[in-house]
């Protein structure tokens, strides 16, 4: 009988102590098992009534039980009552940890990094070019007619008659093609400037990534495939897209690529001006006139080019409503990314 | 540009095609529809209301309580317009109607204590015009309760289309209709001329002379006599109002109608006000002023193309007519101008005057020189129909050098080569014909395409390929799922920048991007700045000569926001002028890439387990060294130089590789900081990244970790304060045995107790050998020898021990 009780009480003890989570629980256990009239003491009472022959064996068993459960009880009691403090030094483990400061790249750099890594995976090199450009690289070699509106003071910052702050990263396309014969496959990130009043929606400088691929047999179909692959990697594989005819002096045919508005999923909202679409980049087949400037044979080689604004992408992606915040460098902003 | 779909449908039959389909086809063919006003939907709830009786609102002077009959019931409606009267038919918006202007819903309301069950509308609330002078008063004969879409014929769809600069042909209803005809494979119907002319011969009534045929290649005049100037008929006014134009009189309205119909700007002169009944087209030879018909006196620059009569200027060619020859109520006889002006001439004038009109907008993009005759005749016809005029016989057409259609060869194979799929030849031929291009088959693979003069943008084969792609739809171009990656050499010119950014952020720095455009004062701080000729403002008139001033602006702004502990970096270009005078080549300036680190405030802030640690020069110095080591330049010999004040720094450190300065930095002068309203210490170091990148770092190679134990010894000396750490270190290095591998300072201590102008320097020396265990003896010998030598050399005293 006692033998059976020992087993039962042991099981009941372990089951009870499992759910202990406060000092009060600990006290309840103590009273239930270890007080004067507790269950363990009662077992010792029962031992008195056991027949003589069985007494030594059961007595030993009972002592083992008492030592085991008492030790375990003490351990649990300790853990509960000193929660957050270690045993020897009584450290307050709940105090905050020491501060380690790891800085961060600007959110525009991070956005560009993502774009770069996708295009590098698609076989593109990465190239740089100067921000202070000549009229020749920024306009003339890109097939802007002499009296194109972009070439006057309204849109471009000039430092002299023939030198200006580049208005796009496209001149780097010319610089690469001058240096190298096809195949040419590269993206060109960089800073560009426009003579536009500073507001929440526009800034006098911003960042772009241009891209170009020239080789034999480069087609519009490949342009579409490559840019769709980019967009799916960047914006998500379930995205819908469309290519719309547009106009740029340096590409023909030209297109703008739209993706379904990520906010309203195409239903129409404020961000997409109720169209359901967001324009993400301009692109097209390199105009044969551009090839003339770099002495490429446009019968032999064809190519595509594209360009996108990094601020716009970051604004959309992070729900930022004022472009100026990128260049305020408020640490409370920088730290968020 | 606003386009009325009903108007479009006069030229191409689209009756079986949904509005949605039309909009989507236009957008997907390059005529992007930016906004749509579907009147049927917009006005579906508005009805004709009858104002039965009115009474003054008891609690508001300007409000009226009206009893409006909506065809079934009498409703009480509060109206704020002064012109509301009993007996009027009005536009009534019942409860539940959305008002187009402002998109708000009409609800049952209590206005100053009186209930109102709807609203009587003004034109601007319906987006019919900007007029808010009073409510719209309708024809009394209209039935109450009738929908206004029916009663006022408001069943049109108005599209706002963005026309790219290469498509002047699309700047009219016929132009847009032509694209739609191609997109839906339909016929384009252009109104025929039905002209009755009088016996009087035009050449006896007027004359035209072009003295600048380059800027005015063609000038047509048509004369209509005995016209009656009056209000235009309703259909004409409606057409213009729908696309946002304000009707004036029948003559002006007709010229506007034709401009928006076929894209040809026209001008009507009062023939009797033209001296000698003569038109002369010439450019101004001196600066002069001229009063345009908007009653403004305008300054005309030299070489402005003008329309003159026998004596004086009467219009700015292609831009705006003059006050002195405009049509007035008393005008009897009219000369219609239908001309072709050279686009760049008109663009120049329009820019110089800061004046853009519907006419100049079209001329500067390129109109069709060969539609001028049609437009003049259509105008004459409409004037005879709507203003009772008599059209003089014949036409004056001065066209010295006829502009003929271009001919371009198109290869089907080239189309496939560019687009990446084959558009079948029959389809290509059909698309081109529908766009109004004449085609002739030359060979199996080749077409000869004649380009009408209304498409100045089509100049080459590639332009034709774009037309084919555009009309057949970019959606039909396949999207490849496989690309070739040729194994040409790949490079990444931004790779080093990336490594630098990673290192800088790991060192706890945040990246800034500052505007390179700054004030001359800020830019001149660090070099000879380049000025912008047309800056946005004085605080952005120069390009930065270094990254420093931008960073100081950022620090100052952050401090003002209460963020005082900053570790920031930036990578960016700086620009300096290297030659006097105008920049004419890339040799006249220097654009280089820089890297700047700035530290200010505390490097660690006070927390429960750390004391605050104010940043100092050694934080900057340590940063520079760990940075150089992290970007693998630690195995190249870079020299350090220490200098006292210059204009920027109180004291600073310079890093050189051989003769090349890689960068410098130190503690910024308070005077400089004051310029930026900063009153805490700032440390900055700026690298010339262009120079830094030009150093070839040696490739890293593996070095086995030391297998044998080190023996470490310390000593400290009391020295004169003026003795430099580096001198002692170099001395130890020179005098010690080759077994001494590392010398480092572990304590610097200054105290009166050491004596006047004395300090204590404590060193740790690490002895070891890669190939064996050292004996205590050999280390002890060297160590003791060093003590003697240092004591002697620096007049030093060994401390402690």
């Amino acid at each position: 009988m006692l033998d059976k009780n020992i087993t039962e009480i042991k099981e009941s003890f372990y089951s009870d102590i499992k759910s202990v989570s406060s000092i009060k629980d600990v006290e309840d256990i103590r009273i239930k098992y270890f007080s004067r009239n507790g269950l363990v003491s009662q077992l010792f009472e029962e031992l008195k009534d056991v027949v003589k022959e069985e007494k030594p064996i059961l007595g030993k068993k009972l002592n083992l039980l008492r030592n085991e459960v008492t030790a375990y009880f003490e351990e649990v009691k300790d853990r509960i009552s000193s929660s957050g403090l270690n045993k020897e030094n009584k450290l307050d483990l709940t105090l905050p940890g020491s501060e380690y400061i790891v800085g961060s790249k600007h959110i525009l750099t991070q956005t560009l990094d993502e774009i770069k890594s996708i295009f590098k995976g698609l076989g593109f090199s990465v190239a740089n070019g100067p921000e202070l450009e000549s009229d020749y690289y920024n306009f003339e070699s890109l097939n802007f007619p002499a009296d194109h509106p972009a070439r006057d003071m309204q849109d471009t910052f000039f430092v002299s008659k023939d030198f200006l702050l580049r208005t796009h990263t496209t001149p780097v396309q010319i610089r690469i093609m001058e240096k190298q014969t096809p195949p040419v496959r590269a993206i060109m990130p960089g800073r560009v400037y426009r003579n536009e009043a500073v507001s929440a929606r526009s800034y006098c400088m911003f960042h772009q990534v241009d891209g170009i691929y020239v080789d034999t047999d480069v087609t519009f179909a490949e342009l579409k495939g490559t840019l769709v692959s980019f967009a799916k990697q960047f914006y998500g594989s379930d995205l819908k897209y469309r290519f719309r005819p547009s106009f740029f002096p340096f590409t023909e045919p030209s297109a703008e690529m739209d993706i379904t508005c990520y906010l309203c999923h195409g239903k129409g909202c404020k961000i997409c001006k109720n169209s359901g679409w967001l324009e993400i980049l301009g692109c097209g087949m390199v105009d044969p006139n551009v090839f003339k400037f770099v002495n490429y044979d446009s019968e032999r080689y064809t190519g595509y080019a594209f360009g996108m604004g990094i601020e716009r992408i970051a604004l959309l992606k992070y729900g930022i409503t004022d472009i100026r915040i990128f260049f305020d460098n408020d640490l409370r902003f920088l730290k968020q990314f | 540009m606003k386009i009325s779909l009903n108007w479009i449908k006069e030229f191409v039959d689209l009756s079986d095609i949904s509005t949605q389909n039309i909009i989507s086809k236009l957008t997907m063919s390059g005529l992007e529809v930016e906004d749509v006003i579907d009147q049927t939907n917009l006005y579906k709830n508005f009805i004709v209301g009858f104002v039965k009786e009115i009474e003054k609102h008891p609690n508001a002077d300007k409000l009226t309580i009206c009893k409006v009959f909506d065809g079934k019931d009498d409703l009480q409606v509060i109206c704020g317009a002064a012109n509301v009267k009993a007996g009027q038919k009005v536009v009534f918006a019942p409860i539940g109607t959305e008002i187009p202007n402002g998109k708000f819903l009409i609800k049952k309301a209590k206005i100053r204590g009186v209930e109102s069950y709807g609203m009587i509308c003004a034109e601007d609330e319906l987006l019919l015009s900007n007029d808010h002078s009073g409510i719209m008063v309708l024809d009394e004969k209209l039935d109450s309760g009738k929908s206004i879409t029916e009663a006022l014929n408001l069943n049109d769809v108005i599209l706002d289309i963005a026309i790219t600069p290469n498509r002047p042909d699309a700047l009219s209803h016929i132009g847009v209709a032509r694209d739609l005809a191609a997109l839906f494979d339909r016929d384009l119907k252009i109104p025929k001329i039905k002209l009755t002319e009088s016996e009087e011969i035009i050449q006896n009534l007027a004359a035209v002379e072009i003295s600048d045929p380059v800027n005015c290649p063609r000038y047509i005049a048509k004369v209509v006599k005995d016209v009656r100037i009056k209000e235009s008929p309703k259909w004409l006014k409606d057409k213009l109002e729908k696309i946002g134009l304000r009707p004036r009189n029948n003559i002006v309205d007709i010229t506007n109608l034709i401009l928006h119909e076929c894209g040809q700007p026209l001008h009507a002169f009062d023939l009797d006000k033209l001296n000698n009944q003569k038109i002369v087209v010439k450019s101004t030879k001196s600066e002069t002023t001229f009063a345009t018909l908007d009653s403004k006196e305008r300054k005309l620059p030299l070489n402005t193309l003008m329309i003159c009569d026998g004596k004086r200027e009467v219009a700015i060619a292609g831009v705006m007519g003059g006050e002195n020859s405009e049509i007035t109520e008393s005008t009897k006889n009219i000369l219609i101008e239908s001309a072709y002006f050279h686009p760049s001439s008109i663009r120049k004038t329009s820019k110089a005057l800061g004046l853009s009109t519907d006419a100049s907008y079209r001329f500067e993009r390129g109109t069709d020189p060969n539609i001028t005759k049609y437009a003049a005749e259509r105008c004459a016809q409409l004037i005879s129909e709507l203003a009772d005029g008599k059209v003089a016989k014949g036409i004056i057409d001065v066209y010295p050098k006829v502009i003929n259609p271009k001919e371009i060869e198109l290869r089907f194979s080239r189309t496939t080569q560019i687009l990446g799929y084959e558009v079948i030849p029959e389809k290509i031929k059909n698309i081109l014909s529908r766009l109004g291009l004449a085609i002739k088959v030359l060979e199996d693979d080749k077409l000869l395409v004649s380009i009408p003069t209304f498409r100045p943008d089509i100049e080459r084969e590639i332009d034709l390929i774009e037309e084919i792609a555009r009309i057949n739809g970019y959606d039909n171009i396949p999207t490849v799922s496989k690309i070739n990656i040729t194994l040409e050499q790949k490079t990444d010119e931004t790779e080093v920048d990336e490594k630098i950014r990673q290192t800088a952020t790991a060192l706890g720095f945040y990246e800034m991007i500052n505007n390179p455009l700054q004030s001359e004062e800020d830019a001149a701080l660090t070099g000879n700045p380049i000025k912008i000729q047309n800056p946005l403002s004085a605080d952005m008139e120069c390009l930065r000569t270094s990254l420093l001033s931008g960073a100081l602006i950022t620090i100052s702004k952050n401090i003002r926001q209460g963020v005082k502990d900053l570790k920031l970096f930036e990578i960016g270009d700086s620009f300096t002028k290297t030659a006097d005078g105008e920049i004419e080549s890339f040799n006249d300036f220097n654009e280089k890439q820089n890297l700047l680190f700035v530290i200010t405030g505390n490097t660690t802030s006070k927390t429960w387990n750390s004391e605050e640690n104010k940043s100092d020069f050694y934080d900057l110095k340590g940063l520079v060294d760990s940075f150089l080591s992290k970007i693998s330049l630690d195995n190249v010999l870079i020299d350090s130089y220490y200098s006292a004040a210059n204009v920027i720094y109180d004291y600073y450190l310079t890093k050189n590789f051989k003769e090349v300065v890689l960068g410098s930095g130190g503690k910024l002068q308070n005077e400089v900081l004051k310029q930026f309203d900063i009153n805490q210490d700032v440390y900055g170091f700026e690298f010339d990244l262009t120079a830094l990148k030009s150093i070839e770092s040696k490739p890293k190679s593996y070095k086995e970790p030391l297998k044998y134990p080190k023996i470490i010894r310390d000593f400290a000396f009391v020295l004169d304060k003026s003795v430099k750490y580096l001198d002692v270190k170099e001395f130890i290095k020179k005098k010690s045995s080759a077994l001494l591998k590392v010398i480092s300072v572990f304590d610097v201590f200054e105290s009166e107790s050491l004596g006047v102008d004395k300090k204590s320097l404590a060193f740790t020396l690490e002895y070891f050998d890669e190939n064996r265990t050292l004996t205590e003896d050999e280390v002890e010998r060297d160590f003791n020898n060093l003590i003697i030598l240092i004591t002697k050399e620096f007049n030093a005293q060994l401390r402690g021990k």
Side-chain angles (χ1 to χ4, degrees), chain A residues 20 63 96 124 147 255-256 318:
Chain A
V20 161
N63 275 322
F124 285 75
D147 56 355
E256 266 163 359
Y318 299 99

Side-chain angles (χ1 to χ4, degrees), chain B residues 165-428:
Chain B
N166 60 326
R167 292 294 308 278
D169 67 291
L171 292 169
S172 70
H173 281 74
I174 289 180
V176 174
R178 187 181 290 114
D179 263 22
L180 285 166
L183 288 165
F184 292 104
D185 194 17
R186 314 234 153 153
D187 292 334
L188 181 72
K189 299 169 288 185
I190 291 173
K192 297 257 181 323
I193 305 289
K194 282 174 247 153
L195 196 55
T196 322
E197 292 180 335
S198 69
E199 288 305 307
E200 213 166 357
I201 293 169
I202 187 171
Q203 275 76 13
N204 295 334
L205 299 169
V208 172
E209 184 189 317
I210 299 176
S211 63
D212 186 349
V214 174
N215 289 322
C216 178
R218 189 177 196 184
Y219 196 104
I220 280 177
K222 195 91 181 122
V223 168
V224 189
K225 291 189 76 175
D226 302 327
V227 298
R228 276 181 54 208
I229 308 295
K230 55 183 178 186
E231 206 182 324
S232 295
K234 190 172 178 305
W235 66 265
L236 175 52
K237 287 198 291 182
D238 278 355
K239 259 188 175 169
L240 298 179
E241 280 179 335
K242 273 187 200 168
I243 58 167
L245 297 174
R246 176 156 288 275
R248 297 190 188 276
N249 59 47
N250 50 359
I251 307 298
V252 174
D253 292 352
I254 288 166
T255 59
N256 275 334
L257 177 87
I258 289 168
L259 180 144
H260 289 278
E261 186 172 86
C262 70
Q264 173 63 39
L266 302 171
H267 186 66
F269 292 102
D270 185 329
L271 181 61
D272 302 316
K273 289 180 189 161
L274 296 178
N275 287 297
N276 311 339
Q277 280 72 52
K278 196 177 173 187
I279 291 285
V280 183
V281 189
K282 60 181 181 192
S283 297
T284 52
K285 294 285 169 267
S286 60
E287 282 183 28
T288 163
T289 58
F290 179 72
T292 42
L293 48 73
D294 55 359
S295 307
K296 277 190 185 140
E297 195 74 22
R298 296 181 188 272
K299 268 201 187 121
L300 304 178
L302 203 67
N303 287 324
T304 303
L305 189 69
M306 297 298 291
I307 310 300
C308 306
D309 62 11
K311 280 187 183 155
R312 51 177 189 167
E313 286 99 7
V314 291
I316 304 172
V319 181
M320 194 179 266
E323 217 168 18
N324 57 14
S325 55
E326 73 174 317
I327 306 288
T328 59
E329 277 175 28
S330 57
T331 298
K332 285 276 166 270
N333 304 314
I334 284 173
L335 182 139
I336 304 159
E337 164 198 292
S338 179
Y340 172 68
F341 300 113
H342 199 278
S344 61
S345 161
I346 304 303
R347 184 174 305 140
K348 217 176 64 199
T349 307
S350 165
K351 272 271 136 66
L353 297 178
L355 176 63
S356 177
T357 59
D358 275 351
S360 71
Y361 188 79
R362 283 163 180 80
F363 281 126
E364 70 183 45
R365 278 163 178 75
T367 53
D368 178 8
N370 294 325
I371 204 175
T372 43
K373 184 161 178 265
Y374 171 85
E377 287 178 338
R378 176 136 170 87
C379 183
Q381 176 193 329
L382 288 174
I383 291 178
S384 76
E385 286 169 14
L386 306 179
D388 317 325
K390 295 190 193 76
V391 181
K393 195 182 177 85
I395 196 161
I396 298 174
D397 183 358
V398 186
Y399 195 8
K401 211 173 144 192
V402 174
I403 301 167
N404 286 314
K406 284 182 292 268
E407 291 193 322
I408 299 171
E409 286 182 6
L410 171 73
R411 291 161 296 168
F412 300 130
S413 57
R414 179 71 172 170
T415 310
T416 310
Q417 186 194 357
I418 295 287
L419 300 181
Y421 81 119
E422 195 194 350
V423 185
I424 54 167
E426 281 319 303
K427 185 117 201 188
I428 290 180

Side-chain angles (χ1 to χ4, degrees), chain A residues 95-99 101-106 108-109 113 116 120-134 137 143 147-149 152-154 156-163 165 175 179 183-185 189 191 193 195-198 203-205 207 213 215 218-222 224-226 228 241-247 252-256 285 287-289 298-300 302 326-332 334-335, chain B residues 27-30 32 34 164-166 343-344 347 351 411 414 416-420 460-463 465-466 469-470 474-480 483-486 488-495 497-498 501-502 504-517 530-536 540 543-544 554 557-558 561 563 565-573 575 582-586 589 591 593 603 605 607-609 693:
Chain A
L95 280 168
S98 307
E99 198 182 13
I101 294 174
V102 179
S104 63
K105 297 187 207 179
H106 196 282
L108 293 176
T109 306
D113 281 354
K116 267 198 312 206
K120 283 172 87 166
L122 293 168
F124 285 75
S125 288
V126 185
N128 282 329
E131 290 171 23
L132 190 46
E133 257 300 1
S134 66
Y137 284 107
N143 199 33
D147 56 355
H148 190 280
D152 65 40
M153 306 286 254
Q154 311 290 328
T156 307
F157 288 119
F158 284 88
V159 301
S160 69
K161 193 175 140 281
D162 294 321
F163 282 82
L165 291 172
R175 290 179 171 275
K179 274 190 282 193
V184 170
R185 185 173 353 214
R191 183 167 302 165
Y193 301 80
N195 194 347
E196 275 172 16
V198 173
Y203 203 78
C204 51
M205 69 98 172
H207 298 79
Y213 176 37
D215 202 347
V218 178
T219 66
F220 201 113
E222 181 163 347
K224 278 180 76 176
T226 308
V228 167
Y241 61 87
R242 68 179 190 186
F243 286 82
R244 242 179 331 104
S246 188
F247 171 73
E252 185 83 1
S254 304
E256 266 163 359
M285 300 301 289
D287 194 291
N289 284 355
S298 62
E299 282 295 310
R300 179 154 179 231
T302 50
F326 290 129
F327 311 113
D328 269 350
N329 301 304
D330 187 322
L331 196 73
R332 295 167 301 174
L334 300 178
K335 269 185 159 171
Chain B
T27 294
M28 292 306 283
S29 66
E32 191 186 357
E34 289 191 313
T164 50
N166 60 326
S344 61
R347 184 174 305 140
K351 272 271 136 66
R411 291 161 296 168
R414 179 71 172 170
T416 310
Q417 186 194 357
I418 295 287
L419 300 181
R460 304 158 301 164
E461 186 181 40
I462 192 75
D463 302 321
I465 294 171
E466 180 183 41
R470 186 171 78 76
Y474 282 11
D475 278 351
N476 285 321
I477 301 173
T479 302
V480 300
I483 58 167
N484 291 319
I485 295 190
T486 39
E488 77 265 14
Q489 199 189 335
K490 308 285 180 208
T491 51
D492 182 351
E493 292 178 3
T494 62
E495 213 169 7
D497 302 354
E498 273 333 295
R501 285 193 173 94
Q502 273 167 25
T505 53
L507 293 167
F509 284 72
Y510 289 92
E511 185 183 17
M512 336 170 248
I513 297 181
N514 286 303
N515 186 355
L517 299 171
I530 297 166
K531 273 188 123 171
I532 309 289
Q533 289 184 328
N534 52 334
L536 272 174
M540 290 197 256
L543 279 164
R544 64 183 174 200
T554 287
K557 276 194 287 193
N558 272 291
Q561 295 297 338
V563 184
D565 305 331
L566 297 159
K567 287 164 81 183
L568 302 166
F569 79 102
E570 180 170 18
I571 296 178
D573 288 6
F575 310 81
E582 174 105 335
I583 289 175
E584 284 166 350
S585 82
F586 284 97
F589 66 90
E591 174 175 349
Q593 198 189 23
T603 50
S605 42
T607 66
W608 69 273
N609 67 344
K693 282 178 180 175

